[in-house]
Amino acid sequence: MSDVIGYDRVGEIAVLTVRNPPVNALSQAVRQGLWDRMDQAEADADVRAIMIVGEGRAFFAGADIKEFGKPLKEPFLPDLIHRIEASPLVVVAAMHGVSLGGGLEVALGCHYRIAVPQARVGLPEVHLGLIPGAGGTQRLPRLTGVEPALEVMTTGRHVGAAEALSLGILDAVEEGDPREIGLAFVQRLLAEGAPRRPVSEMALPQPIDWDYAFDATLARGRGQISPAWCVRAVQAAYGGSFAQGMQAERKMFMDLMETDQRQGMIHAFFSERAVSNLPELKGVAPRDIQHLAVIGGGTMGAGIATAALLAGLRVHLLEMSAEAGAAARGRIEANLAGALKRGKITAEAHGAMLEQALRVLTDYTDLSEVDLVIEAVFEDMDVKKQVFAQLDAVCKPGCVLASNTSYLDIDVIAATTSRPADVLGLHFFSPAHVMKLLEVVVGEQTAPDVAATGFALGKRLGKISVRAGVCDGFIGNRILATYRTCADHMVLDGASPYDIDAALEAFGFAMGPFAVADLAGLDIGWAVRKRKRAEGQAPTRDATYADRLCEDGHFGQKTGKGYYDYAAGARAPVPNPEVMPMIEADRARLGITPRRFDADEIVRRYMAAMVNEAAKVVGEGIARRPLDVDMTLLFGYGFPRYRGGPLKWADMVGLEGLLDDIRGYAVEDAVFWAAAPLLEQLVADGRCFDDLNKES
Ligand code: CAA
């Protein structure tokens, strides 16, 4: 018999110990092993109870996600759980670490559940585009009631042991070694003569208004369907026997398994983990970073400083004057107050961060001892050059010098120092203590251990770090500039910014591009356009309405007006009435007769522009793999996770059709719609972007 499930006897108790590192996923070998060990325990005349316990980090992290999308092999998880529950012996789960998805479902198939206080349970299948598929939708409501069960399933959140106990998911929570507390618990049950207690035989709780719950959950999903299907699966428990409910759940689970949403979300799950795993940095030790400096305490600098403080680093923040320093401190205090309010930090930690870990300074010479500096000053090459020259003069040898620039050339910045190998880009997204994305921009001369330090810092700050090469806008902003230009062209040709935002929000973006621009600040794009025009890089169809908005002092949310009017008290922003006349003036100036765009055409063009530029970014090596682009768009640009990322989406809709669209649009504008050579190559070879991920 396999060693994946250990077997030993403690008196009348058979202990089944799961050993499938790193997280005890329920692979075929684990399912088969559990089945065989259940047989073995039941065949032993001296055994009166069975205890299942996990070794290592978790009880079970759930079904083995690597098996999804392939033909599932017997024994199937629902059958195994049924077999556990139907055992004539008392079966107990002794839980620690996480018990997620199928892992919690195994526990729900046991007759009793005990856990250590640090244990967490959950049914996160919705994050994989699925519903619980091994009885979770049928058993959990019987323990907790319908509404708490639906809340747990539709959010997919991890529930701490104390809460799980109060919800009725657990029977006991005790401090100690999981095996020891489990054994003591089973011994007590045996001494009391406690009976088997199958959850499937428990009464169903009060039903709810299913249609109302379905509609509300569907609306909250912004196009993602699996949370709403949890409602239908729970509802199915009320339509007949337990077995019929199980069948209905299984059917929905298998149907969802066939969807693009499932594919997209599982792509996101694995890519999120693969993105910071760079073959070239294997074995390269990062430099030790304990003490960090941030230059500039505006929104971005203060956000970076906050993220570093929250991660336990010491931070020096440098500003140009005492007044600017006080304002920066105020921003950091406000950020940390938010973290305190949301329970992310204790009052004690909050106090320590502000009083001990943070120092606000005005003199560069105070930076001589820091391990890493992040410059977050005004986005202007001359200003950056001055800052780096001063850093070069005062920082200790080996200090990593990073720029938070979002567009400018890291190689040019590095060349102004005597130590270009120590320079890299660390491009954060605003608000930097909240947004998950970090672009680690590796310059021509950046040393491998400096790049590794960027990734190590990203990990410490809880970021998703993506490697980017040097180009205007790196991965994210370069692609953004292209799809934004596509949106601007559609506006000139007849769509309104509001049509475009609505179409893309319906596609699943958290916000449309014009609402995003208002949030980010219209002055940023204005500065970039002015720079490009000065450099002779004006676009072929240069619209001026966005500049006119800025000239009138409308920078978006921060000034109360941009594409939308954010008048105090208004819940949803309303279109700013000044915008359409500015657009109409541009159309008249350029001699354009506006035409209608429906939502479908808006999405097709916008996505074609995004995918085409993304393919150029990969083809040129700015992003190493398609998944790097996907994660950039997912974590920094509000791309819907259930679509996997633009290049996974492109694979799913078909590259050939997309290339046809691009070639069709190129008839109108051959420069803007020049097809990416990589896209053409993939279509010619009958391959897709994901093939390149697998090769890397
Ligand atoms: N299947 C296969 N591999 C898994 C896995 C799973 N369920 N869960 C985690 N892993 C792998 C990860 O890919 C990672 O592999 P690499 O080291 O090769 O990158 C490794 O385990 C460690 O994972 P993390 O890096 O994520 O470690 P962590 O400590 O940060 O988080 C975790 C651990 C909380 C378990 C997290 O991995 C997680 O949330 N996993 C997914 C849990 C889940 O969704 N379970 C439900 C599965 S669906 C299901 O069960 C359907 C059903 O009803 C039948």
Side-chain angles (χ1 to χ4, degrees), residues 182-211:
L183 282 171
F185 181 68
V186 186
Q187 276 150 0
R188 285 203 301 277
L189 290 175
L190 289 177
E192 289 162 9
R196 291 170 62 255
R197 204 188 46 166
V199 176
S200 66
E201 291 172 15
M202 293 179 184
L204 279 167
Q206 267 311 95
I208 58 164
D209 180 340
W210 302 109
D211 288 345

Side-chain angles (χ1 to χ4, degrees), residues 496-667:
S496 79
Y498 316 107
D499 297 335
I500 293 176
D501 277 359
L504 290 158
E505 281 161 25
F507 176 83
F509 277 95
M511 295 165 99
F514 295 95
V516 168
D518 272 359
L519 178 69
L522 302 181
D523 46 332
I524 300 175
W526 191 30
V528 174
R529 285 191 300 278
K530 282 195 279 195
R531 170 169 64 83
K532 287 200 167 177
R533 285 189 195 118
E535 290 168 0
Q537 295 183 47
T540 38
R541 302 179 71 197
D542 201 5
T544 60
Y545 60 88
D547 305 328
R548 299 261 305 281
L549 266 174
C550 293
E551 285 157 15
D552 288 356
H554 301 324
F555 293 167
Q557 286 197 15
K558 60 184 166 193
T559 58
K561 246 190 216 179
Y563 290 101
Y564 296 87
D565 190 338
Y566 302 87
R571 266 196 85 223
V574 291
N576 173 0
E578 295 160 51
V579 171
M580 285 315 293
M582 291 177 185
I583 291 171
E584 278 151 19
D586 259 343
R587 288 175 186 157
R589 180 176 57 82
L590 296 167
I592 296 167
T593 311
R595 69 174 181 90
R596 236 186 77 74
F597 283 80
D598 62 20
D600 184 49
E601 183 178 1
I602 290 171
V603 170
R604 276 176 65 174
R605 280 182 179 258
Y606 192 81
M607 288 306 301
M610 189 184 298
V611 170
N612 199 36
E613 191 65 29
K616 291 178 187 170
V617 162
V618 176
E620 291 167 22
I622 300 299
R624 286 277 168 86
R625 303 158 294 187
L627 70 85
D628 294 327
V629 170
D630 285 343
M631 294 308 99
T632 302
L633 271 289
L634 230 61
F635 288 99
Y637 296 82
F639 194 91
R641 186 178 175 95
Y642 63 82
R643 296 192 189 273
L647 295 179
K648 181 66 187 174
W649 174 86
D651 280 351
M652 292 190 290
V653 298
L655 300 189
E656 209 170 332
L658 259 167
L659 184 59
D660 281 348
D661 275 356
I662 290 167
R663 286 180 174 151
Y665 304 145
V667 174

Side-chain angles (χ1 to χ4, degrees), residues 36 127 170 196 379 443 573:
D36 295 343
H127 297 313
L170 298 175
R196 291 170 62 255
E379 194 72 345

Side-chain angles (χ1 to χ4, degrees), residues 98 102 224 227 259 303 488 513 534 664:
V98 289
Q224 196 200 335
T259 58
D488 289 338

Side-chain angles (χ1 to χ4, degrees), residues 22-23 25 57 61 63-65 77 100-102 105 124-125 128 133 269 273:
V23 288
R57 284 161 61 181
D64 187 338
I65 302 170
L77 194 56
L100 298 175
E105 290 171 305
E125 286 86 344
L128 303 174
F269 178 85
R273 286 160 177 79

